[in-house]
Amino acid sequence: MTDWDEKAEARKLHDTLQLVGLRAHATAVGFIQLCAELLKAGVIDDPAVSRIKDAIAKDIIVTRTTSRGQEEFEASLRRRLDTLLPSAATATDHDSAVGTPDSMDSALHPSDREAS
């Protein structure tokens, strides 16, 4: 993330959400399910989910305290978000679109999967 205005806005939003207390796991799970339901209903599409993932990534990146390994961190973060948030193809097949621990582990350790 290189745009400083964008980073400042992400920081402001993060601070506001933290003040409200929207950091709970239950809120995140509900949000993921909401995305899946909106996809199933045709209210949102894959580009909308991509924009949602971008917003989440920006908030996580702006709160990271170190810049070492930033590119790898961002790539790993995006892989993890891809496993959690649904796509149009996966939302229609699942009652719950929340990612599984196995899919998250695969996203965190892609080289382990390639070695098998």
Side-chain angles (χ1 to χ4, degrees):
M1 184 178 350
T2 56
D3 183 73
W4 291 108
D5 290 334
E6 196 173 281
K7 190 172 183 176
E9 280 300 310
R11 169 58 80 180
K12 185 177 175 181
L13 179 59
H14 171 81
D15 291 344
T16 301
L17 291 174
Q18 203 159 16
L19 285 171
V20 173
L22 291 177
R23 286 289 185 201
H25 289 266
T27 302
V29 170
F31 171 74
I32 292 166
Q33 187 62 40
L34 176 62
C35 285
E37 297 297 331
L38 293 173
L39 272 167
K40 284 182 201 177
V43 175
I44 62 173
D45 57 9
D46 284 335
V49 174
S50 291
R51 290 188 300 274
I52 291 166
K53 286 190 260 189
D54 287 344
I56 293 168
K58 285 176 192 173
D59 184 69
I60 293 170
I61 291 164
V62 79
T63 60
R64 189 161 188 249
T65 57
T66 181
S67 61
R68 294 184 87 178
Q70 187 69 22
E71 286 182 25
E72 177 54 34
F73 173 78
E74 289 186 30
S76 174
L77 173 61
R78 293 194 183 276
R79 284 191 306 270
R80 289 179 280 160
L81 287 171
D82 286 342
T83 66
L84 286 174
L85 286 161
S87 68
T90 61
T92 57
D93 296 337
H94 302 289
D95 289 333
S96 174
V98 177
T100 66
D102 287 339
S103 62
M104 180 64 75
D105 187 54
S106 294
L108 288 171
H109 308 289
S111 59
D112 293 348
R113 188 177 60 228
E114 293 165 4
S116 310

